mmCIF file of all heavy atoms in Angstrom:
data_model
loop_
_atom_site.group_PDB
_atom_site.id
_atom_site.type_symbol
_atom_site.label_atom_id
_atom_site.label_comp_id
_atom_site.label_asym_id
_atom_site.label_seq_id
_atom_site.Cartn_x
_atom_site.Cartn_y
_atom_site.Cartn_z
ATOM 1 N N ASN A 171 25.187 24.641 11.026
ATOM 2 C CA ASN A 171 25.919 24.165 12.130
ATOM 3 C C ASN A 171 25.188 22.968 12.781
ATOM 4 O O ASN A 171 24.064 22.621 12.385
ATOM 5 C CB ASN A 171 26.247 25.256 13.200
ATOM 6 C CG ASN A 171 25.075 25.842 13.868
ATOM 7 O OD1 ASN A 171 23.959 25.201 13.958
ATOM 8 N ND2 ASN A 171 25.125 27.155 14.262
ATOM 9 N N GLU A 172 25.709 22.341 13.825
ATOM 10 C CA GLU A 172 25.152 21.137 14.481
ATOM 11 C C GLU A 172 23.750 21.399 14.971
ATOM 12 O O GLU A 172 22.829 20.608 14.786
ATOM 13 C CB GLU A 172 26.055 20.764 15.550
ATOM 14 C CG GLU A 172 25.715 19.452 16.195
ATOM 15 C CD GLU A 172 25.927 18.228 15.281
ATOM 16 O OE1 GLU A 172 26.827 18.349 14.382
ATOM 17 O OE2 GLU A 172 25.368 17.200 15.474
ATOM 18 N N ARG A 173 23.571 22.481 15.673
ATOM 19 C CA ARG A 173 22.228 22.736 16.269
ATOM 20 C C ARG A 173 21.245 23.045 15.220
ATOM 21 O O ARG A 173 20.027 22.609 15.318
ATOM 22 C CB ARG A 173 22.351 23.937 17.214
ATOM 23 C CG ARG A 173 21.017 24.256 17.968
ATOM 24 C CD ARG A 173 21.293 25.240 19.005
ATOM 25 N NE ARG A 173 20.056 25.669 19.571
ATOM 26 C CZ ARG A 173 19.422 25.025 20.601
ATOM 27 N NH1 ARG A 173 19.960 23.997 21.156
ATOM 28 N NH2 ARG A 173 18.284 25.539 21.062
ATOM 29 N N GLN A 174 21.574 23.717 14.201
ATOM 30 C CA GLN A 174 20.635 24.053 13.109
ATOM 31 C C GLN A 174 20.153 22.815 12.357
ATOM 32 O O GLN A 174 18.963 22.612 12.035
ATOM 33 C CB GLN A 174 21.178 25.043 12.125
ATOM 34 C CG GLN A 174 21.410 26.424 12.671
ATOM 35 C CD GLN A 174 22.246 27.321 11.706
ATOM 36 O OE1 GLN A 174 23.051 26.800 10.935
ATOM 37 N NE2 GLN A 174 22.088 28.560 11.816
ATOM 38 N N SER A 175 21.179 21.934 12.094
ATOM 39 C CA SER A 175 20.825 20.711 11.318
ATOM 40 C C SER A 175 19.989 19.711 12.204
ATOM 41 O O SER A 175 19.088 19.123 11.703
ATOM 42 C CB SER A 175 22.101 20.021 10.797
ATOM 43 O OG SER A 175 22.852 19.622 11.881
ATOM 44 N N THR A 176 20.284 19.686 13.501
ATOM 45 C CA THR A 176 19.520 18.866 14.462
ATOM 46 C C THR A 176 18.058 19.338 14.479
ATOM 47 O O THR A 176 17.079 18.554 14.452
ATOM 48 C CB THR A 176 20.188 18.845 15.888
ATOM 49 O OG1 THR A 176 21.447 18.360 15.689
ATOM 50 C CG2 THR A 176 19.358 17.968 16.799
ATOM 51 N N ARG A 177 17.890 20.685 14.620
ATOM 52 C CA ARG A 177 16.539 21.315 14.668
ATOM 53 C C ARG A 177 15.788 20.974 13.379
ATOM 54 O O ARG A 177 14.619 20.580 13.446
ATOM 55 C CB ARG A 177 16.727 22.749 14.875
ATOM 56 C CG ARG A 177 15.300 23.405 15.039
ATOM 57 C CD ARG A 177 15.362 24.939 15.105
ATOM 58 N NE ARG A 177 14.149 25.565 15.610
ATOM 59 C CZ ARG A 177 13.109 25.727 14.761
ATOM 60 N NH1 ARG A 177 13.112 25.332 13.537
ATOM 61 N NH2 ARG A 177 12.014 26.264 15.223
ATOM 62 N N ARG A 178 16.473 21.161 12.254
ATOM 63 C CA ARG A 178 15.821 20.894 11.001
ATOM 64 C C ARG A 178 15.326 19.422 10.857
ATOM 65 O O ARG A 178 14.245 19.141 10.393
ATOM 66 C CB ARG A 178 16.688 21.293 9.900
ATOM 67 C CG ARG A 178 15.965 21.536 8.543
ATOM 68 C CD ARG A 178 16.837 22.277 7.564
ATOM 69 N NE ARG A 178 16.902 23.630 7.976
ATOM 70 C CZ ARG A 178 16.727 24.656 7.148
ATOM 71 N NH1 ARG A 178 16.416 24.471 5.893
ATOM 72 N NH2 ARG A 178 16.790 25.919 7.589
ATOM 73 N N ALA A 179 16.182 18.498 11.250
ATOM 74 C CA ALA A 179 15.872 17.098 11.199
ATOM 75 C C ALA A 179 14.690 16.777 12.137
ATOM 76 O O ALA A 179 13.759 16.029 11.700
ATOM 77 C CB ALA A 179 17.085 16.299 11.666
ATOM 78 N N ILE A 180 14.725 17.302 13.352
ATOM 79 C CA ILE A 180 13.561 17.023 14.244
ATOM 80 C C ILE A 180 12.255 17.585 13.710
ATOM 81 O O ILE A 180 11.174 16.881 13.774
ATOM 82 C CB ILE A 180 13.846 17.545 15.651
ATOM 83 C CG1 ILE A 180 15.046 16.795 16.334
ATOM 84 C CG2 ILE A 180 12.664 17.418 16.564
ATOM 85 C CD1 ILE A 180 15.587 17.414 17.536
ATOM 86 N N MET A 181 12.308 18.808 13.150
ATOM 87 C CA MET A 181 11.132 19.451 12.548
ATOM 88 C C MET A 181 10.611 18.597 11.395
ATOM 89 O O MET A 181 9.361 18.413 11.251
ATOM 90 C CB MET A 181 11.402 20.867 12.154
ATOM 91 C CG MET A 181 11.562 21.811 13.318
ATOM 92 S SD MET A 181 10.200 21.891 14.430
ATOM 93 C CE MET A 181 8.880 22.479 13.458
ATOM 94 N N TRP A 182 11.505 18.088 10.566
ATOM 95 C CA TRP A 182 11.082 17.273 9.426
ATOM 96 C C TRP A 182 10.428 15.961 9.916
ATOM 97 O O TRP A 182 9.406 15.575 9.324
ATOM 98 C CB TRP A 182 12.256 16.927 8.528
ATOM 99 C CG TRP A 182 12.748 18.072 7.736
ATOM 100 C CD1 TRP A 182 12.144 19.319 7.590
ATOM 101 C CD2 TRP A 182 13.946 18.099 6.872
ATOM 102 N NE1 TRP A 182 12.955 20.085 6.743
ATOM 103 C CE2 TRP A 182 13.997 19.367 6.293
ATOM 104 C CE3 TRP A 182 14.988 17.245 6.684
ATOM 105 C CZ2 TRP A 182 15.051 19.742 5.454
ATOM 106 C CZ3 TRP A 182 15.970 17.549 5.784
ATOM 107 C CH2 TRP A 182 16.016 18.843 5.228
ATOM 108 N N ILE A 183 10.974 15.346 10.955
ATOM 109 C CA ILE A 183 10.369 14.202 11.549
ATOM 110 C C ILE A 183 9.017 14.419 12.088
ATOM 111 O O ILE A 183 8.031 13.679 11.929
ATOM 112 C CB ILE A 183 11.331 13.528 12.545
ATOM 113 C CG1 ILE A 183 12.544 12.936 11.872
ATOM 114 C CG2 ILE A 183 10.619 12.384 13.357
ATOM 115 C CD1 ILE A 183 13.701 12.531 12.736
ATOM 116 N N ILE A 184 8.861 15.603 12.853
ATOM 117 C CA ILE A 184 7.599 15.897 13.383
ATOM 118 C C ILE A 184 6.528 16.176 12.306
ATOM 119 O O ILE A 184 5.374 15.748 12.343
ATOM 120 C CB ILE A 184 7.689 17.096 14.385
ATOM 121 C CG1 ILE A 184 8.488 16.709 15.595
ATOM 122 C CG2 ILE A 184 6.353 17.703 14.798
ATOM 123 C CD1 ILE A 184 8.893 17.824 16.562
ATOM 124 N N GLU A 185 6.976 16.900 11.240
ATOM 125 C CA GLU A 185 6.069 17.203 10.187
ATOM 126 C C GLU A 185 5.611 15.875 9.433
ATOM 127 O O GLU A 185 4.442 15.741 9.077
ATOM 128 C CB GLU A 185 6.707 18.133 9.166
ATOM 129 C CG GLU A 185 6.823 19.553 9.649
ATOM 130 C CD GLU A 185 7.630 20.445 8.752
ATOM 131 O OE1 GLU A 185 7.863 20.008 7.633
ATOM 132 O OE2 GLU A 185 8.030 21.506 9.173
ATOM 133 N N ALA A 186 6.565 15.026 9.162
ATOM 134 C CA ALA A 186 6.248 13.757 8.473
ATOM 135 C C ALA A 186 5.376 12.857 9.422
ATOM 136 O O ALA A 186 4.435 12.181 8.868
ATOM 137 C CB ALA A 186 7.546 13.004 8.237
ATOM 138 N N SER A 187 5.497 12.971 10.713
ATOM 139 C CA SER A 187 4.593 12.149 11.553
ATOM 140 C C SER A 187 3.225 12.705 11.632
ATOM 141 O O SER A 187 2.270 11.985 11.796
ATOM 142 C CB SER A 187 5.226 12.095 13.040
ATOM 143 O OG SER A 187 5.124 13.330 13.642
ATOM 144 N N ARG A 188 3.035 13.989 11.361
ATOM 145 C CA ARG A 188 1.721 14.540 11.379
ATOM 146 C C ARG A 188 0.927 14.138 10.137
ATOM 147 O O ARG A 188 -0.332 14.168 10.162
ATOM 148 C CB ARG A 188 1.780 16.125 11.364
ATOM 149 C CG ARG A 188 2.230 16.649 12.736
ATOM 150 C CD ARG A 188 2.040 18.153 12.847
ATOM 151 N NE ARG A 188 2.403 18.590 14.180
ATOM 152 C CZ ARG A 188 3.303 19.501 14.391
ATOM 153 N NH1 ARG A 188 3.863 20.140 13.433
ATOM 154 N NH2 ARG A 188 3.607 19.804 15.657
ATOM 155 N N ARG A 189 1.662 13.746 9.133
ATOM 156 C CA ARG A 189 0.906 13.254 7.914
ATOM 157 C C ARG A 189 0.581 11.783 7.972
ATOM 158 O O ARG A 189 -0.108 11.286 7.112
ATOM 159 C CB ARG A 189 1.813 13.432 6.678
ATOM 160 C CG ARG A 189 2.024 14.880 6.279
ATOM 161 C CD ARG A 189 2.681 15.005 4.949
ATOM 162 N NE ARG A 189 4.088 14.586 4.922
ATOM 163 C CZ ARG A 189 5.138 15.251 5.196
ATOM 164 N NH1 ARG A 189 5.029 16.567 5.444
ATOM 165 N NH2 ARG A 189 6.344 14.697 5.117
ATOM 166 N N ARG A 190 0.949 11.116 9.049
ATOM 167 C CA ARG A 190 0.521 9.710 9.246
ATOM 168 C C ARG A 190 -0.840 9.574 9.679
ATOM 169 O O ARG A 190 -1.437 10.493 10.158
ATOM 170 C CB ARG A 190 1.491 9.049 10.216
ATOM 171 C CG ARG A 190 2.908 8.912 9.670
ATOM 172 C CD ARG A 190 3.658 7.828 10.377
ATOM 173 N NE ARG A 190 4.936 7.632 9.758
ATOM 174 C CZ ARG A 190 5.149 6.592 8.933
ATOM 175 N NH1 ARG A 190 4.210 5.732 8.675
ATOM 176 N NH2 ARG A 190 6.330 6.422 8.299
ATOM 177 N N ALA A 191 -1.440 8.404 9.462
ATOM 178 C CA ALA A 191 -2.825 8.170 9.678
ATOM 179 C C ALA A 191 -3.278 7.935 11.133
ATOM 180 O O ALA A 191 -4.442 8.210 11.474
ATOM 181 C CB ALA A 191 -3.304 6.974 8.886
ATOM 182 N N ASP A 192 -2.354 7.512 12.012
ATOM 183 C CA ASP A 192 -2.723 7.177 13.363
ATOM 184 C C ASP A 192 -3.122 8.464 14.134
ATOM 185 O O ASP A 192 -2.705 9.595 13.836
ATOM 186 C CB ASP A 192 -1.503 6.610 14.084
ATOM 187 C CG ASP A 192 -1.918 5.753 15.273
ATOM 188 O OD1 ASP A 192 -3.040 5.870 15.739
ATOM 189 O OD2 ASP A 192 -1.054 4.985 15.784
ATOM 190 N N ARG A 193 -4.017 8.207 15.097
ATOM 191 C CA ARG A 193 -4.590 9.391 15.857
ATOM 192 C C ARG A 193 -3.596 9.824 17.010
ATOM 193 O O ARG A 193 -3.529 10.982 17.368
ATOM 194 C CB ARG A 193 -5.919 9.018 16.420
ATOM 195 C CG ARG A 193 -6.585 10.197 17.120
ATOM 196 C CD ARG A 193 -7.965 9.831 17.477
ATOM 197 N NE ARG A 193 -8.480 10.906 18.381
ATOM 198 C CZ ARG A 193 -9.615 10.907 18.912
ATOM 199 N NH1 ARG A 193 -10.464 9.902 18.742
ATOM 200 N NH2 ARG A 193 -9.938 11.947 19.723
ATOM 201 N N ASP A 194 -2.906 8.830 17.602
ATOM 202 C CA ASP A 194 -2.046 9.067 18.655
ATOM 203 C C ASP A 194 -0.704 9.626 18.234
ATOM 204 O O ASP A 194 0.012 9.035 17.471
ATOM 205 C CB ASP A 194 -1.814 7.772 19.443
ATOM 206 C CG ASP A 194 -1.017 7.959 20.753
ATOM 207 O OD1 ASP A 194 -0.962 9.090 21.202
ATOM 208 O OD2 ASP A 194 -0.411 6.955 21.238
ATOM 209 N N ILE A 195 -0.388 10.854 18.687
ATOM 210 C CA ILE A 195 0.737 11.528 18.267
ATOM 211 C C ILE A 195 2.059 10.854 18.670
ATOM 212 O O ILE A 195 3.041 10.748 17.898
ATOM 213 C CB ILE A 195 0.811 12.986 18.702
ATOM 214 C CG1 ILE A 195 1.948 13.809 18.027
ATOM 215 C CG2 ILE A 195 0.958 13.079 20.217
ATOM 216 C CD1 ILE A 195 1.817 15.286 18.202
ATOM 217 N N SER A 196 2.086 10.228 19.822
ATOM 218 C CA SER A 196 3.337 9.549 20.251
ATOM 219 C C SER A 196 3.581 8.334 19.418
ATOM 220 O O SER A 196 4.686 7.969 19.064
ATOM 221 C CB SER A 196 3.188 9.207 21.722
ATOM 222 O OG SER A 196 2.023 8.462 21.968
ATOM 223 N N ARG A 197 2.482 7.643 18.980
ATOM 224 C CA ARG A 197 2.641 6.426 18.109
ATOM 225 C C ARG A 197 3.171 6.841 16.747
ATOM 226 O O ARG A 197 3.920 6.187 16.153
ATOM 227 C CB ARG A 197 1.310 5.626 18.083
ATOM 228 C CG ARG A 197 1.540 4.201 17.715
ATOM 229 C CD ARG A 197 0.279 3.400 17.868
ATOM 230 N NE ARG A 197 -0.416 3.602 19.042
ATOM 231 C CZ ARG A 197 -1.755 3.750 19.152
ATOM 232 N NH1 ARG A 197 -2.529 3.658 18.059
ATOM 233 N NH2 ARG A 197 -2.346 3.951 20.287
ATOM 234 N N ARG A 198 2.559 7.935 16.289
ATOM 235 C CA ARG A 198 2.964 8.451 14.998
ATOM 236 C C ARG A 198 4.494 8.788 15.004
ATOM 237 O O ARG A 198 5.185 8.460 13.977
ATOM 238 C CB ARG A 198 2.179 9.651 14.539
ATOM 239 C CG ARG A 198 0.735 9.375 14.210
ATOM 240 C CD ARG A 198 0.099 10.566 13.582
ATOM 241 N NE ARG A 198 0.406 11.849 14.232
ATOM 242 C CZ ARG A 198 -0.499 12.693 14.651
ATOM 243 N NH1 ARG A 198 -1.805 12.383 14.573
ATOM 244 N NH2 ARG A 198 -0.201 13.807 15.253
ATOM 245 N N LEU A 199 4.924 9.499 16.028
ATOM 246 C CA LEU A 199 6.282 9.843 16.104
ATOM 247 C C LEU A 199 7.240 8.587 16.185
ATOM 248 O O LEU A 199 8.253 8.501 15.580
ATOM 249 C CB LEU A 199 6.550 10.696 17.379
ATOM 250 C CG LEU A 199 6.285 12.142 17.242
ATOM 251 C CD1 LEU A 199 6.343 12.848 18.587
ATOM 252 C CD2 LEU A 199 7.298 12.824 16.249
ATOM 253 N N ALA A 200 6.763 7.590 16.973
ATOM 254 C CA ALA A 200 7.593 6.336 17.073
ATOM 255 C C ALA A 200 7.723 5.644 15.741
ATOM 256 O O ALA A 200 8.767 5.250 15.359
ATOM 257 C CB ALA A 200 6.954 5.411 18.149
ATOM 258 N N VAL A 201 6.599 5.537 14.999
ATOM 259 C CA VAL A 201 6.588 4.869 13.750
ATOM 260 C C VAL A 201 7.506 5.688 12.743
ATOM 261 O O VAL A 201 8.205 5.064 11.958
ATOM 262 C CB VAL A 201 5.184 4.660 13.203
ATOM 263 C CG1 VAL A 201 5.129 4.133 11.769
ATOM 264 C CG2 VAL A 201 4.433 3.670 14.133
ATOM 265 N N GLU A 202 7.408 7.004 12.819
ATOM 266 C CA GLU A 202 8.220 7.817 11.911
ATOM 267 C C GLU A 202 9.711 7.707 12.183
ATOM 268 O O GLU A 202 10.563 7.619 11.287
ATOM 269 C CB GLU A 202 7.748 9.251 11.923
ATOM 270 C CG GLU A 202 8.422 10.155 10.964
ATOM 271 C CD GLU A 202 8.004 9.765 9.556
ATOM 272 O OE1 GLU A 202 6.975 9.325 9.244
ATOM 273 O OE2 GLU A 202 8.959 9.876 8.626
ATOM 274 N N MET A 203 10.065 7.620 13.539
ATOM 275 C CA MET A 203 11.488 7.445 13.836
ATOM 276 C C MET A 203 11.955 6.125 13.318
ATOM 277 O O MET A 203 13.125 6.040 12.793
ATOM 278 C CB MET A 203 11.660 7.459 15.353
ATOM 279 C CG MET A 203 11.475 8.824 16.018
ATOM 280 S SD MET A 203 12.943 9.784 15.901
ATOM 281 C CE MET A 203 12.439 11.211 16.894
ATOM 282 N N LEU A 204 11.167 5.059 13.434
ATOM 283 C CA LEU A 204 11.581 3.768 12.987
ATOM 284 C C LEU A 204 11.633 3.700 11.488
ATOM 285 O O LEU A 204 12.436 3.009 10.935
ATOM 286 C CB LEU A 204 10.562 2.686 13.578
ATOM 287 C CG LEU A 204 10.645 2.458 15.050
ATOM 288 C CD1 LEU A 204 9.662 1.519 15.546
ATOM 289 C CD2 LEU A 204 12.048 2.095 15.527
ATOM 290 N N ALA A 205 10.683 4.461 10.825
ATOM 291 C CA ALA A 205 10.780 4.537 9.367
ATOM 292 C C ALA A 205 12.000 5.229 8.866
ATOM 293 O O ALA A 205 12.588 4.821 7.862
ATOM 294 C CB ALA A 205 9.533 5.266 8.815
ATOM 295 N N VAL A 206 12.444 6.248 9.590
ATOM 296 C CA VAL A 206 13.763 6.861 9.283
ATOM 297 C C VAL A 206 14.918 5.832 9.323
ATOM 298 O O VAL A 206 15.760 5.758 8.472
ATOM 299 C CB VAL A 206 14.001 8.114 10.126
ATOM 300 C CG1 VAL A 206 15.389 8.622 9.975
ATOM 301 C CG2 VAL A 206 13.005 9.202 9.791
ATOM 302 N N LEU A 207 14.882 5.089 10.413
ATOM 303 C CA LEU A 207 15.900 4.131 10.596
ATOM 304 C C LEU A 207 15.928 2.961 9.582
ATOM 305 O O LEU A 207 16.939 2.487 9.122
ATOM 306 C CB LEU A 207 15.801 3.390 12.009
ATOM 307 C CG LEU A 207 16.126 4.318 13.187
ATOM 308 C CD1 LEU A 207 15.761 3.659 14.484
ATOM 309 C CD2 LEU A 207 17.599 4.677 13.183
ATOM 310 N N GLU A 208 14.681 2.587 9.123
ATOM 311 C CA GLU A 208 14.588 1.612 8.091
ATOM 312 C C GLU A 208 14.880 2.175 6.667
ATOM 313 O O GLU A 208 15.167 1.373 5.738
ATOM 314 C CB GLU A 208 13.193 1.033 8.031
ATOM 315 C CG GLU A 208 12.854 0.208 9.234
ATOM 316 C CD GLU A 208 11.364 -0.159 9.378
ATOM 317 O OE1 GLU A 208 10.586 0.250 8.451
ATOM 318 O OE2 GLU A 208 11.031 -0.858 10.273
ATOM 319 N N GLY A 209 14.892 3.516 6.508
ATOM 320 C CA GLY A 209 15.252 4.134 5.251
ATOM 321 C C GLY A 209 14.068 4.407 4.349
ATOM 322 O O GLY A 209 14.255 4.646 3.137
#
């Protein structure tokens, strides 16, 4: 359903941002969100 798919998408984005090299979590999240938009 809508909530489940939203939760799964956010969790995937957070997990992918944790694998990024930057130390600042907010910068990692921002770059990951923009990477999703770029494809």
Side-chain angles (χ1 to χ4, degrees):
N171 63 26
E172 188 69 23
R173 183 172 173 85
Q174 291 170 336
S175 63
T176 302
R177 182 183 193 286
R178 198 165 286 229
I180 294 170
M181 288 304 295
W182 287 352
I183 290 172
I184 291 172
E185 287 171 16
S187 71
R188 287 194 178 124
R189 290 190 296 267
R190 291 201 172 262
D192 199 349
R193 185 174 171 182
D194 185 20
I195 190 168
S196 55
R197 203 171 315 137
R198 287 191 318 234
L199 275 169
V201 171
E202 187 63 36
M203 290 275 187
L204 294 175
V206 168
L207 289 173
E208 291 170 0

